[in-house]
Amino acid sequence: MSMPQVPAVEAFLPDWSVRRFLVVDKSGRWPPAIAAQVMEQLRDRTGGDQDGGSIVFDSFTTTKDLAPVAQQINTAALVIFLDGLERECLTLLRRFVLAPRRPAILIVADEHHQELMPVLLESGVDSLLFDVVNDIPIAEWCLRLLPNRSYSGNAVRTDAPAQ
């Protein structure tokens, strides 16, 4: 009987070269669309060259357990679709106010969320988009966060929703 092969230590360590975007969306439909749009725009900018690190869009349906992941060094940004997550979002943002490190934060909201704009901006939200109908403005915001050269031609993947 042979012993099973034990994975190397490196298999358990996070890949810090991966640039991570965390997308919180109850519907689950936005993260793949945003990832595809980012990849398309990167291909257009680089002429199809695929060199450099990778970009990952992790999908979450709730903000539960998101704060520790969001504060990791390779997390570039948080994209939160506010509809149905208003209370959770404000609780999460409160945790970031005193955090030593926090990612850039984009809130995607509906027109009826306009009254929350001052609270969201005071909570450290970097950008707000209202009544978004497609993924283009979100993808453009994500691309503005990437360094010009370091992640110019990247592989993009969308990971399965986290629970």
Side-chain angles (χ1 to χ4, degrees), residues 14 19 22 30 56 59 82 86 88 103 108 115 120 125 134 136 142 145 153-154 161:
R19 198 62 171 214
L22 309 178
W30 285 98
V56 175
S59 176
L82 194 57
E86 295 86 354
E88 286 184 42
V108 182
E115 63 194 32
L120 292 169
V125 170
N134 63 37
I136 294 172
C142 292
L145 294 177
N154 304 309

Side-chain angles (χ1 to χ4, degrees), residues 93-94 97 102 116-126 128:
L93 292 174
R94 185 182 66 208
V97 169
R102 72 162 187 83
L116 292 176
M117 187 180 345
V119 174
L120 292 169
L121 292 173
E122 288 175 11
S123 297
V125 170
D126 297 288
L128 291 159

Side-chain angles (χ1 to χ4, degrees), residues 84-152:
L85 297 171
E86 295 86 354
R87 184 178 301 262
E88 286 184 42
C89 177
L90 292 172
T91 302
L92 178 70
L93 292 174
R94 185 182 66 208
R95 290 186 68 182
F96 287 142
V97 169
L98 299 175
R101 186 197 180 286
R102 72 162 187 83
I105 301 171
L106 169 66
I107 299 289
V108 182
D110 295 325
E111 187 67 32
H112 66 272
H113 292 115
Q114 289 277 349
E115 63 194 32
L116 292 176
M117 187 180 345
V119 174
L120 292 169
L121 292 173
E122 288 175 11
S123 297
V125 170
D126 297 288
S127 299
L128 291 159
L129 291 175
F130 289 96
D131 295 326
V132 173
V133 295
N134 63 37
D135 50 18
I136 294 172
I138 301 166
E140 288 172 350
W141 183 85
C142 292
L143 288 167
R144 282 194 300 269
L145 294 177
L146 297 175
N148 291 338
R149 304 233 180 244
S150 299
Y151 294 92
S152 61

Side-chain angles (χ1 to χ4, degrees), residues 64-84:
K64 184 178 185 254
D65 302 325
L66 188 63
V69 179
Q71 293 174 347
Q72 290 180 350
I73 191 88
N74 65 334
T75 298
L78 222 65
V79 177
I80 301 174
F81 288 82
L82 194 57
D83 196 34

